[in-house]
Amino acid sequence: MRLLRSTDLALRVLMRLAVAGESTPATREVAADMDAPYTHAAKVVAELQHMGLLDARRGRGGGLTLTSKGRTASVGALVRAFEGDGDVVDCEGTSPCPLSPACRLRGALRQAQEAFFASLDPVTIADIASEPTAALLLGMPRMR
């Protein structure tokens, strides 16, 4: 399964903030650190803020901070939220699959997708931002 760019960026932003300590980087800084377009990062940050996983303050002394809910957030729940609960394949789209009345593939793919999410459920943002990843995150140019 391939994650959407927004899902990947959301995870990386939260990981970056998990090791930020007292610093409160701006969205623009985080976007640059993650090599992502600012507009894309701003949308992801807005969604993460709406979910209560980070706080964003504007202006002087502002920036992004990870909330306690963000630190303990389930990676599986976050991936579900960003990926949506749609099917892996679109059997009913503009040209419906001729096999859909008797197909067992759709169910098998749905089951595999849920197993993927379930395997990520016990993993938290704090888990994926711990060593050795933390050292890499802290070594990023803007974090030194």
Side-chain angles (χ1 to χ4, degrees), residues 5-143:
R5 285 180 41 208
S6 57
T7 305
D8 175 45
L9 184 57
L11 289 166
R12 290 187 291 140
V13 166
L14 292 175
M15 289 168 65
R16 162 70 168 79
L17 294 177
V19 298
E22 296 297 314
S23 74
T24 55
T27 302
R28 213 170 276 289
E29 291 174 63
V30 172
D33 289 346
M34 297 301 138
D35 197 24
Y38 168 74
T39 53
H40 189 63
K43 290 176 188 175
V44 167
V45 163
E47 182 61 27
L48 292 170
Q49 183 179 17
H50 178 74
M51 294 168 73
L53 303 178
L54 62 79
D55 286 325
R57 291 182 138 150
R58 294 174 154 272
R60 187 179 179 123
L64 305 175
T65 55
L66 190 64
T67 64
S68 58
K69 181 180 176 183
R71 189 167 302 283
T72 60
S74 161
V75 172
L78 183 81
V79 171
R80 274 188 193 89
F82 272 83
E83 294 291 315
D85 57 359
D87 287 322
V88 175
V89 293
D90 184 14
C91 300
E92 310 298 326
T94 55
S95 56
C97 177
L99 302 176
S100 62
C103 183
R104 296 172 59 181
L105 177 62
R106 184 179 193 177
L109 289 173
R110 183 63 156 152
Q111 188 176 9
Q113 180 183 32
E114 190 48 44
F116 171 74
F117 291 146
S119 70
L120 294 173
D121 282 341
V123 181
T124 67
I125 297 301
D127 293 335
I128 62 174
S130 64
E131 293 299 336
T133 307
L136 290 172
L137 289 163
L138 290 169
M140 295 177 104
R142 290 193 191 329
M143 295 207 48

